[in-house]
Amino acid sequence: MNPVSFGSQPRWLLMLLLLLITLLSLLPSLRLLLEAFRQIELGFDSPFAGVMLAPSTWRALGNSLVTAGLGTLIAVLLGSLFAFSISLTNIRARQWLVFCFMLPMMIPPQVTALSWLQLFGPASPLLNTLGLAPPLGSPQPLYSAAGIALLLGIQHAPLVYLALRTSLLNIPRELIEAGRISGASQWRLCRDMIIPLSRGGLVAGTSLAFVSALGNFGIPAMLGIPASYYVLPTLIYQRMAGFGSQMLTEVASLSVLIGLLALAGVWLQQRLSRGRDYALIGHSGQAQKFRLGPWRPWLEAMLVLVLLLILVAPLVALLIGSVVPALGVALNADSFTLDAYLQMFSRQGVTLRAMGNSLVLSITAALVLMLLSLPLAWFLRQCAPRLQTLISSLIEIPYALPGVVLAIACILLFARPLPLLGISIYGSLLVIFVAYLARFLSVAFKPVQAVVSQLDPSLDEAAQLAGAGGLRRMIDIVLPLVAPALCAGGLLVFLIAVNELTVSALLWSTGNETLGVLIFNLDESGDTVLASAVSVVVVLMVAGLMALLSLLGNRLPKGVIPWQS
């Protein structure tokens, strides 16, 4: 379809949208790079050089690479197991398996860490209830690099699953049938055909898992700080808490280092994928299933067992930990109590305030991004392909970079009053809101863009010939057709933003706490039972929102809801 001409008012609106994208996506990154280059010009006497030469920086860098690397390996193993099993075999209850496997990615990382802490160690209410708790004074095994890597792997395994599943579904079934007709066994088909053709998805999923693990704050903070095991995001958090005259320069330098590592991971993924693409001709999206015969119940049992270990057991431990008076107390008729929930909803002012802040931020961000996504996707469809690629790349920058990098960029950008207005938003909910808009624009935009790209251009051409203007065509024709995707994108933004921690951990201030910050602060201050109760409510909310999105599945294009085929 050739670019469609549009009137002066839509063009003006497009310019406004492009300005907003520049302010949200490009300006924070440029401010961070400007600070880094300014310090580099000062040479070896600059705070930047001091940070780069400090032993603590290189120790945290090494810890980040170790935990992210091991976590990526675990994510690849788990994600590949579920991707190959669900996409290529005739196992039953695939939708339920995928829903449960995706849940850890949607649960906030600090909740994941807290649930696993309730599962192991001498203070575990579950182990004490079962009489399996180790002796008092025994070390908590999760306070280690291995514990951090394990949870990072579980948290990001769905990313590997999604990327690999896309490659597997794009393999035409005619290729599989041709191999079978030639007499190839199922093992040989996997080795010689399926694995090489899905290598690009595996490399992409591995890169996503590594970059996400590198920027994860919640898990390393909950498991590493008590053991004085720091990675780059937690080192930044420690430096932020220490204040000091050179604090902003130091954390900006560390943020640039994380950003460079993340970009290196993306570059390596592109490098490994180059020259390995195959032109597939045939009907994709309905891969030929491998019939497992008597092995099917065994594979199903193994997948269920994995889900019991990585999802059900920690959540059961979290639930038990929320209904006992203190850690280390076994659950029985005498110890069962709902005091934590009563305190959360009636006597704990900070809990209600944090819930209110999170709901206001996430709902408002979702609504604003929905309003931006529709005209943006509609007008981008009418632009030249190069301009579409450029704008799409700008939108994805804040979401691709680690959240801690975006947080530091916002601090540098808004530490001083806004030009012309003379208003300072630093230390308020507004700065968190702006960061959410920048980070989650890509989440809201992609489902809408996927639907708009599939619309028949003749609808718009007919309305244009009838004299309808650009805004009229967008509201009367496009909006009804993309409304389900628009709602799905908004729900995804709300689902992620309401529990966000990495960005808000560095931007919050007293009175402006969010749910993610609240859970982290409660656990850090020793009020773990109340933190468990808040986490249980969060998990129920996440599962309910995922179920609501699933109900929209039949009205949405493929790929909008990650856990549905």
Side-chain angles (χ1 to χ4, degrees):
M1 170 181 166
N2 295 327
V4 179
S5 60
F6 37 85
S8 59
Q9 186 175 3
R11 187 180 297 275
W12 170 82
L13 182 58
L14 176 60
M15 292 297 102
L16 178 61
L17 290 171
L18 294 180
L19 178 61
L20 289 175
I21 292 172
T22 302
L23 294 176
L24 291 175
S25 300
L26 196 58
L27 197 57
S29 301
L30 290 178
R31 179 63 183 87
L32 184 62
L33 289 176
L34 179 63
E35 179 67 22
F37 288 142
R38 187 175 68 86
Q39 293 300 320
I40 291 175
E41 291 178 354
L42 297 178
F44 289 100
D45 295 332
S46 68
F48 178 84
V51 170
M52 292 296 104
L53 297 176
S56 59
T57 300
W58 292 99
R59 187 162 51 248
L61 173 61
N63 293 341
S64 293
L65 294 176
V66 168
T67 54
L70 291 177
T72 301
L73 178 61
I74 295 171
V76 169
L77 294 175
L78 289 174
S80 300
L81 171 65
F82 275 78
F84 282 108
S85 301
I86 292 172
S87 302
L88 297 180
T89 69
N90 63 331
I91 62 171
R92 294 162 291 189
R94 287 193 294 270
Q95 293 293 344
W96 283 104
L97 291 173
V98 175
F99 184 90
C100 294
F101 186 67
M102 292 294 300
L103 191 55
M105 186 180 75
M106 297 296 177
I107 293 175
Q110 65 274 19
V111 173
T112 299
L114 184 60
S115 64
W116 280 81
L117 288 173
Q118 303 279 16
L119 183 60
F120 290 104
S124 168
L126 176 61
L127 295 183
N128 279 279
T129 301
L130 299 176
L132 301 176
L136 293 176
S138 301
Q140 169 59 263
L142 294 176
Y143 288 152
S144 61
I148 296 173
L150 173 64
L151 269 61
L152 288 176
I154 293 172
Q155 184 88 23
H156 301 125
L159 295 174
V160 179
Y161 165 81
L162 292 174
L164 186 55
R165 171 178 168 270
T166 301
S167 294
L168 293 174
L169 292 180
N170 284 331
I171 299 176
R173 61 185 303 165
E174 290 89 343
L175 292 178
I176 306 296
E177 293 173 351
R180 285 174 171 167
I181 293 174
S182 301
S185 64
Q186 293 191 143
W187 166 249
R188 188 169 181 183
L189 286 174
C190 288
R191 185 192 66 185
D192 297 341
M193 185 178 297
I194 293 176
I195 293 179
L197 291 177
S198 61
R199 191 177 300 162
L202 183 60
V203 171
T206 302
S207 173
L208 284 172
F210 178 78
V211 172
S212 300
L214 196 66
N216 191 293
F217 173 79
I219 291 173
M222 301 271 294
L223 302 183
I225 291 178
S228 297
Y229 187 90
Y230 292 96
V231 295
L232 286 175
T234 54
L235 182 62
I236 289 176
Y237 178 80
Q238 183 195 41
R239 297 289 175 86
M240 286 284 293
F243 296 100
S245 58
Q246 301 295 333
M247 179 266 292
L248 274 181
T249 301
E250 292 176 357
V251 298
S253 304
L254 292 171
S255 298
V256 170
L257 182 58
I258 298 180
L260 291 176
L261 286 176
L263 293 177
V266 174
W267 173 85
L268 183 61
Q269 177 257 319
Q270 295 175 346
R271 181 81 174 180
L272 293 176
S273 300
R274 190 177 304 164
R276 298 181 183 271
D277 295 332
Y278 299 89
L280 299 176
I281 302 176
H283 299 289
S284 61
Q286 188 65 34
Q288 181 70 38
K289 303 294 183 184
F290 289 93
R291 299 196 172 275
L292 301 177
W295 292 101
R296 184 172 72 171
W298 292 99
L299 179 59
E300 292 171 346
M302 182 175 65
L303 296 178
V304 171
L305 178 61
V306 171
L307 290 175
L308 288 175
L309 292 176
I310 68 174
L311 177 66
V312 178
L315 292 183
V316 170
L318 183 69
L319 179 60
I320 293 177
S322 69
V323 294
V324 294
L327 288 182
V329 177
L331 177 63
N332 52 49
D334 296 328
S335 63
F336 178 83
T337 176
L338 296 177
D339 284 348
Y341 292 93
L342 295 175
Q343 183 180 1
M344 175 176 57
F345 289 114
S346 62
R347 299 190 299 271
Q348 186 64 236
V350 65
T351 304
L352 295 178
R353 185 171 66 240
M355 284 186 175
N357 290 339
S358 290
L359 289 174
V360 168
L361 287 171
S362 54
I363 292 174
T364 309
L367 292 176
V368 170
L369 292 178
M370 287 169 64
L371 292 175
L372 286 176
S373 297
L374 176 60
L376 181 60
W378 174 238
F379 286 124
L380 276 187
R381 187 172 185 261
Q382 306 174 54
C383 296
R386 289 186 178 181
L387 182 58
Q388 293 183 30
T389 303
L390 175 61
I391 296 176
S392 298
S393 301
L394 288 177
I395 292 174
E396 292 179 3
I397 287 176
Y399 193 71
L401 290 175
V404 67
V405 177
L406 177 63
I408 298 302
C410 288
I411 291 174
L412 291 172
L413 191 60
F414 299 114
R416 296 179 179 177
L418 297 176
L420 302 179
L421 298 179
I423 301 174
S424 176
I425 67 172
Y426 180 68
S428 66
L429 280 179
L430 188 56
V431 69
I432 302 178
F433 175 70
V434 172
Y436 282 7
L437 291 181
R439 185 156 181 82
F440 302 128
L441 176 58
S442 176
V443 177
F445 174 70
K446 283 188 174 182
V448 181
Q449 185 185 34
V451 177
V452 169
S453 65
Q454 299 174 10
L455 295 180
D456 188 350
S458 61
L459 295 175
D460 178 74
E461 293 169 356
Q464 191 173 12
L465 290 174
L471 288 177
R472 179 77 179 271
R473 301 197 306 270
M474 183 179 65
I475 295 173
D476 292 347
I477 297 177
V478 181
L479 179 58
L481 296 175
V482 304
L486 201 63
C487 293
L491 282 174
L492 283 172
V493 170
F494 176 82
L495 188 65
I496 300 173
V498 75
N499 301 309
E500 199 280 330
L501 174 64
T502 305
V503 172
S504 54
L506 300 181
L507 297 178
W508 75 280
S509 58
T510 303
N512 297 315
E513 304 90 347
T514 62
L515 270 176
V517 171
L518 173 67
I519 295 172
F520 175 68
N521 288 344
L522 286 174
D523 180 74
E524 196 175 42
S525 62
D527 203 344
T528 308
V529 175
L530 183 57
S532 301
V534 177
S535 299
V536 169
V537 174
V538 167
V539 171
L540 292 176
M541 181 170 58
V542 168
L545 288 172
M546 289 178 65
L548 179 60
L549 271 175
S550 298
L551 295 177
L552 295 172
N554 295 332
R555 302 186 59 189
L556 297 173
K558 295 179 180 180
V560 171
I561 299 179
W563 53 87
Q564 288 196 341
S565 300

